[in-house]
Amino acid sequence: MRITQGLVEQHIHGAFGIDFMKCSEAELIEVALQLAQNGVCTFFPTIMTDNIDIIKERISIIKNTANKIPKNYAQIAGIHLEGPFINPDKAGIHEKKYIQPLDIEFFKQLDDSFIKIITIAPELDKDSNFIKYLQSRNIKISAGHCTAYDLSGMNQVTHLYNAMQSFTHRGNSTVVSALTNDNIYTEIIADSMHVSDEVLKITFRQKPLDKILLISDALPLAHSKIKEQTFAGQTIYNKDGKLINKEGVFAGSSMLLCDIIKNIVDKKIIKFEDAVKCASSNQIKYHNLTNNLTLYWNDNNVIEKVKPNN
């Protein structure tokens, strides 16, 4: 047995058939229970690009539910707002009709102290006033769904390599800046589908381990028997573990953090201790969190027991 603290999930859209963009308080609490059973002590429900009224409703429901979750469940530490302030050219599965310019007055309509992380396209903030406003609100700012290579003012990048300007050996790009800037954190989906195993190896060698944040980017289809589901205004299909739309665009992951740790450790991409660091202690330090779970892992890198801390 190996003993670790609980895992922290800062980018997750749902799981177990439950969608954070549609769920009730009871369903959100059910996700919190099942996430704890899968080793997650803390999570940040992630809100997609959508109509402003729906975003405001989701913020309210998630915030109100956070105070009702039992202590031995996964706790909600805040909201990750992924959009609507992104680049339409890197929208991925986000609905382009709801994408907004980086406008402070628009953001104020949905601003809430429970928003702890926000993904934006920094290249669209020409005078940096939007970024400065977010900084004044003490929100972690993430470059994602973007083409920016100037990551000034960013705390992190969203799902490295995915939905951003890719690597180039003859110039700057979002990926190059993220890999070479040791002052910012990088999310990465290490499910071997969003990022290949060889590129994962390069990433773990290049980027300081204490700046890597393993995420699942899990969708409602994750850990569910459902094979297709409406998400972000379109049908998402589970094709042998790949969650894609009809055009084959990746929508998110079918894995949870515990699955991702097993995946990269079994393949010897990274050591067990380092994988847990990137899924737990890095996030706890980054967000100044507490841990309410102790995990017991067997030799097959599977969680056998979850014990609530006193």
Side-chain angles (χ1 to χ4, degrees), residues 86-103:
I86 59 176
N87 192 321
D89 292 337
K90 293 292 183 181
I93 65 160
H94 289 247
E95 293 187 86
K96 290 185 178 181
K97 65 182 179 181
Y98 295 124
I99 292 175
Q100 297 291 330
L102 276 63
D103 180 74

Side-chain angles (χ1 to χ4, degrees), residues 48-298:
M48 290 280 290
T49 299
D50 210 319
N51 176 281
I52 187 172
D53 291 329
I54 292 177
I55 293 175
K56 290 166 68 175
E57 175 198 70
R58 291 292 94 196
I59 292 171
S60 177
I61 287 175
I62 293 169
K63 183 178 181 179
N64 291 336
T65 306
N67 296 321
K68 302 175 183 179
I69 295 176
K71 291 183 179 180
N72 59 335
Y73 289 27
Q75 300 298 300
I76 298 177
I79 288 168
H80 182 165
L81 189 62
E82 187 184 11
F85 309 104
I86 59 176
N87 192 321
D89 292 337
K90 293 292 183 181
I93 65 160
H94 289 247
E95 293 187 86
K96 290 185 178 181
K97 65 182 179 181
Y98 295 124
I99 292 175
Q100 297 291 330
L102 276 63
D103 180 74
I104 294 174
E105 294 307 313
F106 184 91
F107 178 75
K108 285 181 177 178
Q109 296 180 64
L110 51 86
D111 192 5
D112 191 281
S113 61
F114 210 58
I115 298 173
K116 302 299 183 182
I117 310 167
I118 182 169
T119 293
I120 67 169
E123 70 274 11
L124 302 182
D125 189 20
K126 302 303 182 183
D127 55 12
S128 297
N129 286 337
F130 191 79
I131 291 171
K132 290 174 183 176
Y133 179 77
L134 295 177
Q135 290 172 330
S136 74
R137 301 287 290 110
N138 294 317
I139 298 171
K140 296 283 194 289
I141 311 171
S142 188
H145 292 274
C146 67
T147 61
Y149 61 83
D150 182 358
L151 301 182
S152 302
M154 299 295 102
N155 300 103
Q156 64 168 74
V157 296
T158 295
H159 43 51
L160 183 64
Y161 303 112
N162 291 279
M164 62 176 58
Q165 189 178 19
S166 60
F167 184 90
T168 172
H169 67 291
R170 288 184 175 163
N172 297 315
S173 72
T174 315
V175 168
V176 171
S177 296
L179 288 175
T180 56
N181 187 339
D182 292 346
N183 294 318
I184 64 172
Y185 288 84
T186 57
E187 290 185 351
I188 191 164
I189 312 168
D191 60 1
S192 297
M193 290 177 276
H194 283 80
V195 183
S196 72
D197 291 344
E198 295 305 307
V199 174
L200 287 173
K201 291 176 183 178
I202 291 172
T203 306
F204 287 117
R205 291 173 187 171
Q206 168 62 30
K207 192 74 180 176
L209 282 177
D210 61 358
K211 293 295 185 179
I212 295 176
L213 305 171
L214 287 175
I215 61 165
S216 69
D217 197 12
L219 296 195
L221 288 172
H223 280 235
S224 167
K225 294 181 180 179
I226 303 170
K227 293 301 180 184
E228 61 181 69
Q229 190 175 46
T230 300
F231 180 78
Q234 58 201 286
T235 303
I236 304 300
Y237 305 89
N238 187 337
K239 300 291 186 181
D240 300 320
K242 293 182 179 180
L243 305 187
I244 56 177
N245 65 10
K246 64 180 182 180
E247 287 81 25
V249 177
F250 273 91
S253 178
S254 61
M255 291 186 180
L256 298 180
L257 275 181
C258 56
D259 308 316
I260 284 174
I261 289 174
K262 178 174 173 55
N263 176 59
I264 57 179
V265 174
D266 284 355
K267 293 178 176 178
K268 303 186 186 305
I269 294 172
I270 189 173
K271 294 179 181 178
F272 174 82
E273 293 78 10
D274 291 334
V276 171
K277 175 183 176 69
C278 295
S280 180
S281 56
N282 285 354
Q283 286 89 333
I284 288 172
K285 178 181 178 181
Y286 181 40
H287 295 291
N288 192 27
L289 303 172
T290 57
N291 167 49
N292 67 332
L293 300 176
T294 298
L295 313 182
Y296 297 80
W297 304 72
N298 64 24

Side-chain angles (χ1 to χ4, degrees), residues 4-9 12 14-17 29-43 72-75 216 218 222-224 254-262 272 276 279-280 291-297 301-308:
T4 75
Q5 57 190 352
L7 311 177
V8 178
E9 176 61 271
I12 179 172
F16 318 108
I29 292 172
E30 176 62 23
V31 173
L33 169 61
Q34 294 199 52
L35 283 178
Q37 293 171 346
N38 284 275
V40 174
C41 67
T42 307
F43 68 114
N72 59 335
Y73 289 27
Q75 300 298 300
S216 69
H223 280 235
S224 167
S254 61
M255 291 186 180
L256 298 180
L257 275 181
C258 56
D259 308 316
I260 284 174
I261 289 174
K262 178 174 173 55
F272 174 82
V276 171
S280 180
N291 167 49
N292 67 332
L293 300 176
T294 298
L295 313 182
Y296 297 80
W297 304 72
N301 304 310
V302 173
I303 298 171
E304 282 205 354
K305 183 172 69 171
V306 177
K307 181 180 177 182

